[in-house]
């Protein structure tokens, strides 16, 4: 496990705070890509996009390599693992808190049960409701019987 100090975590979470940078990381999950390929879906100038790449590189989330005139970027997942480990400590805390709340609510329900829901109001049987149609008539006789000829 990589231990990140406060400044490194600040840099990492600051880099992850921007949607453009998160989309770049998602694009790099598929593999190495050139800067122009990464910039294509974003509606911004290349210099503005390069600033986003610089932030990701400073956070250690990507590595850049130059081959002739082509600059390629690769995902560096190690800082994400360290951030995930850092967050996991708080996940354990919140899971414990939520479990405690669930136990409290269950105990409270045992002591003070909720009253049952009142039944839905139904119109009296002897009143005609405009929304209810009468049952169909059986003009041909009793059901299930056929006429002989």
């Amino acid at each position: 496990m990589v231990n990140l100090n406060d400044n490194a975590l600040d840099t990492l979470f600051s880099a992850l705070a921007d949607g453009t940078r998160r989309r770049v990381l998602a694009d790099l999950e598929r593999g190495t890509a050139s800067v122009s390929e990464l910039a294509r879906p974003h509606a911004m100038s290349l210099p503005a996009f390069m600033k986003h790449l610089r932030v990701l590189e400073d956070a250690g989330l990507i590595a850049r390599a130059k081959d002739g005139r082509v600059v390629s970027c690769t995902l560096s997942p190690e800082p994400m693992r360290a951030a995930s480990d850092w967050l996991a400590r708080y996940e354990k805390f919140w899971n414990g808190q939520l479990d405690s709340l669930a136990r409290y609510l269950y105990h409270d329900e045992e002591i003070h049960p909720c009253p049952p829901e009142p039944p839905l109001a139904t119109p009296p049987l002897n009143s005609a409701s405009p929304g209810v149609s009468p049952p169909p008539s059986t003009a041909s006789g009793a059901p299930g019987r056929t006429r002989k000829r």
Side-chain angles (χ1 to χ4, degrees), residues 10-24:
D10 291 347
T11 302
L12 175 66
F13 286 120
S14 178
L16 295 173
D18 184 83
T20 298
R21 295 190 283 265
R22 289 191 305 272
R23 283 189 295 277
V24 168

Side-chain angles (χ1 to χ4, degrees), residues 34-40 42-54 64 69 71:
S34 70
V35 170
S36 59
E37 290 171 334
L38 291 170
R40 192 172 295 125
H42 303 281
M44 65 180 68
S45 67
L46 189 58
F49 185 75
M50 294 298 287
K51 288 181 182 179
H52 285 289
L53 292 182
R54 190 173 311 113
R64 287 197 265 188
R69 293 179 55 176
V71 177

Side-chain angles (χ1 to χ4, degrees), residues 88-149:
R89 295 185 324 191
Y90 296 96
E91 180 182 13
K92 289 176 188 173
F93 167 77
W94 283 110
N95 283 339
Q97 295 297 313
L98 292 172
D99 289 346
S100 179
L101 176 62
R103 284 190 302 274
Y104 170 78
L105 292 174
Y106 178 77
H107 179 69
D108 190 55
E109 178 68 22
E110 291 287 316
I111 295 171
H112 305 99
C114 292
E117 293 280 328
L120 296 174
T122 56
L125 293 176
N126 60 359
S127 70
S129 172
V132 177
S133 59
S137 67
T138 56
S140 65
R145 300 190 119 196
T146 58
R147 287 176 93 176
K148 291 185 182 178
R149 289 185 188 210

